[in-house]
Amino acid sequence: MDYFEEHADVTLAKPVPKGMLRLFGQVTGHATDPFTGKRQVMVLWPGATKSLPYDPDELTLAD
């Protein structure tokens, strides 16, 4: 997916290792990588104090 709307619930696209819980975060905005110019999605995870950038290919919408 190329674009995620703000406040959308997301999770990592790759499978979670056995025995680990899947995290669900919320999109807080978008950013541009200053070195590559690629658009990134800013995600706030539970317990985190600030949003972290991710490539859109690394995320999927949570059901």
Side-chain angles (χ1 to χ4, degrees):
M1 178 174 262
D2 292 341
Y3 183 76
F4 291 91
E5 292 184 19
E6 286 193 33
H7 307 293
D9 293 324
V10 295
T11 188
L12 295 174
K14 66 181 182 179
V16 177
K18 186 175 181 180
M20 294 189 71
L21 297 176
R22 179 171 290 279
L23 289 177
F24 294 97
Q26 189 174 56
V27 174
T28 58
H30 299 88
T32 303
D33 185 314
F35 300 106
T36 63
K38 289 179 69 175
R39 187 174 174 115
Q40 296 183 315
V41 181
M42 301 301 291
V43 178
L44 183 63
W45 300 103
T49 57
K50 63 180 183 175
S51 300
L52 299 172
Y54 288 88
D55 287 335
D57 295 339
E58 296 179 295
L59 301 170
T60 188
L61 289 173
D63 289 341

